[in-house]
């Protein structure tokens, strides 16, 4: 049974940082692309960041470039999202996802999803 479990969300003030973690189990993810998406109330789920299976290539939404960093540790089956200089508009539920493809940047390309972790940024 494949599971993705996010952690690290919370309430922070604007300008501060958070680090999200996603622990994967149930299959070997070292060949999978991993990504982060977010969904704010009343809005669609949006792409945030993704990394290829090796971690050698990453991609970010324009809104988070320069502030967020995605990384992965295949030995631990874990992917991270370091979020710096947080803004109120970053408030959303953040979802971790895994794709059976070696690279993936769109929601439909992902096969497995976590339950999400809430990130709230106050002004």
């Amino acid at each position: 049974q494949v599971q993705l479990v996010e952690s690290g969300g919370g309430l922070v003030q604007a300008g501060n940082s958070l680090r999200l973690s996603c622990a994967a189990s149930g299959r070997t993810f070292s060949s999978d692309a991993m990504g982060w998406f977010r969904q704010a109330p009343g809005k669609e789920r949006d792409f945030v960041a993704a990394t290829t299976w090796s971690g050698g290539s990453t991609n970010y939404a324009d809104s988070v470039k320069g502030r967020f960093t995605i990384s992965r540790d295949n030995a631990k089956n874990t992917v991270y999202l370091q979020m710096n200089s947080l803004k109120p508009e970053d408030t959303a539920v953040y979802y971790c996802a895994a794709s059976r493809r070696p690279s993936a940047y769109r929601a439909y390309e992902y096969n497995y999803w976590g339950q999400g972790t809430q990130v709230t940024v106050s002004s």
Side-chain angles (χ1 to χ4, degrees), residues 4-111:
L4 300 176
V5 180
E6 302 97 336
S7 62
L11 171 64
V12 295
Q13 287 190 326
N16 284 352
S17 300
L18 278 176
R19 188 195 197 201
L20 305 183
S21 298
C22 172
S25 62
R27 61 178 264 114
T28 300
F29 289 89
S30 58
S31 299
D32 298 351
M34 302 290 291
W36 288 94
F37 291 76
R38 67 186 182 186
Q39 187 168 18
K43 296 188 177 181
E44 294 184 351
R45 190 171 298 189
D46 291 330
F47 169 77
V48 175
T51 176
T52 55
W53 69 273
S54 66
S57 179
T58 56
N59 194 35
Y60 298 92
D62 287 342
S63 58
V64 306
K65 276 182 184 176
R67 299 188 298 122
F68 290 12
T69 303
I70 187 171
S71 61
R72 65 189 296 166
D73 185 337
N74 285 340
K76 296 182 178 179
N77 258 5
T78 301
V79 64
Y80 305 97
L81 186 67
Q82 178 67 43
M83 305 186 295
N84 298 330
S85 302
L86 283 160
K87 304 176 181 180
E89 50 264 43
D90 294 318
T91 295
V93 177
Y94 282 71
Y95 297 91
C96 171
S99 170
R100 290 194 290 265
R101 305 180 185 210
S103 64
Y105 306 109
R106 299 173 181 82
Y108 71 83
E109 295 177 312
Y110 285 83
N111 306 99

